[in-house]
Amino acid sequence: MEFMDGAYINDVKTIQKLGIHPHELSTLVSQTFAEMMFKHGFVHCDPHAANLLVRPLPSSKAGILGRRKPQLILLDHGLYKELDFHTRTNYAALWKALIFADANAIKEYSVKLGAGEDLHALFAGVLTMRPWNRVVDPSMDHLVIQGNESDRLELQMYASQYFNQISELLRRLPRVILLMLKTNDCLRAVNNTLLQGSSLETFIIIGKVSSEAVIEAKMSQSKSL
């Protein structure tokens, strides 16, 4: 056991007083959890604000404007989940497909993860909190959530409209994928606090790390043949 001091990740005013920029902190959170999920397959599945502390990186020095690099501290290690090789690789491939709006690959990997052919579009929507027409939109910022009232009302409408299908989807999905959904929801809430929405950089990080994980998995499989 070790005592760790820091500010809660949703205490933006204190974080800024520490010389840490919320955008840089959001980038660190996205990078950390993308590598957990797609590369290591050992995931802290309860990253809500009370389980994430922030402090200046001890080895960093303040810049000209007093900025410090952030260090992320994870608390409460009671809910971790290990993803087996195939689940981790398929999940990484699905997120790669979501980032690049590849409708065929989204369907392929959604089915492999247990959503079924009939609910693959809904699964993509639940993961990204975006309607299908936005999921497959080729524009670079197609998954970015602005965090405004319009986005909130749109999500409420879809949740109400597809309640029965969502219930069926959650019934089908393996527990490990349900925990990934929980993790995503927690991280989305953290980013919303830090950025008042999501950022394009978050999805660039997810796209980069998931793509690297898919390539590494293919190389590992080819070496074992």
Side-chain angles (χ1 to χ4, degrees), residues 130 147-160:
R130 299 279 76 193
N148 53 32
E149 184 68 9
S150 176
D151 274 349
R152 188 180 68 80
L153 291 174
E154 183 180 47
L155 289 174
Q156 286 182 345
M157 180 192 73
Y158 278 103
S160 175

Side-chain angles (χ1 to χ4, degrees), residues 5-197:
D5 191 20
Y8 284 113
I9 202 166
N10 60 351
D11 188 353
V12 178
K13 288 184 179 179
T14 300
I15 288 169
Q16 290 173 323
K17 287 178 181 178
L18 292 172
I20 296 169
H21 196 284
H23 187 274
E24 187 174 0
L25 178 55
S26 171
T27 298
L28 175 60
V29 171
S30 298
Q31 184 75 33
T32 300
F33 279 86
E35 291 190 8
M36 273 192 192
M37 289 186 285
F38 305 137
K39 289 193 171 185
H40 303 298
F42 190 63
V43 186
H44 187 306
C45 293
D46 200 19
H48 58 76
N51 282 341
L52 301 178
L53 294 183
V54 186
R55 67 181 182 183
L57 184 68
S59 62
S60 72
K61 295 181 180 180
I64 297 175
L65 299 177
R67 293 275 177 83
R68 299 283 302 275
K69 289 185 177 181
Q71 183 180 60
L72 187 63
I73 301 167
L74 305 183
L75 305 179
D76 188 0
H77 300 282
L79 186 58
Y80 274 80
K81 191 64 180 178
E82 189 167 2
L83 281 63
D84 63 52
F85 177 83
H86 293 292
T87 300
R88 178 175 62 81
T89 304
N90 288 334
Y91 192 60
L94 174 57
W95 268 106
K96 177 187 175 185
L98 290 167
I99 298 300
F100 292 101
D102 185 340
N104 291 331
I106 291 170
K107 181 177 181 179
E108 177 185 350
Y109 292 104
S110 293
V111 170
K112 285 183 177 181
L113 290 169
E117 292 190 8
D118 56 329
L119 294 180
H120 78 277
L122 182 62
F123 184 38
V126 169
L127 277 170
T128 61
M129 290 295 167
R130 299 279 76 193
W132 179 249
N133 66 311
R134 289 289 294 166
V135 170
V136 295
D137 187 326
S139 60
M140 185 173 288
D141 63 348
H142 66 121
L143 297 181
V144 174
I145 299 173
Q146 301 302 328
N148 53 32
E149 184 68 9
S150 176
D151 274 349
R152 188 180 68 80
L153 291 174
E154 183 180 47
L155 289 174
Q156 286 182 345
M157 180 192 73
Y158 278 103
S160 175
Q161 183 177 352
Y162 294 104
F163 177 81
N164 290 335
Q165 293 93 325
I166 292 172
S167 297
E168 172 59 19
L169 175 66
L170 297 179
R171 186 192 67 78
R172 290 183 189 180
L173 292 173
R175 173 173 166 76
V176 64
I177 300 303
L178 295 177
L179 286 172
M180 292 305 100
L181 291 178
K182 171 184 169 60
T183 304
N184 282 341
D185 286 344
C186 290
L187 295 174
R188 190 178 293 114
V190 166
N191 270 325
N192 188 60
T193 299
L194 294 173
L195 306 174
Q196 300 304 305

Side-chain angles (χ1 to χ4, degrees), residues 209-222:
V209 178
S210 62
S211 297
E212 290 172 351
V214 170
I215 292 170
E216 290 170 4
K218 288 180 179 178
M219 291 176 63
S220 174
Q221 287 179 313
S222 65

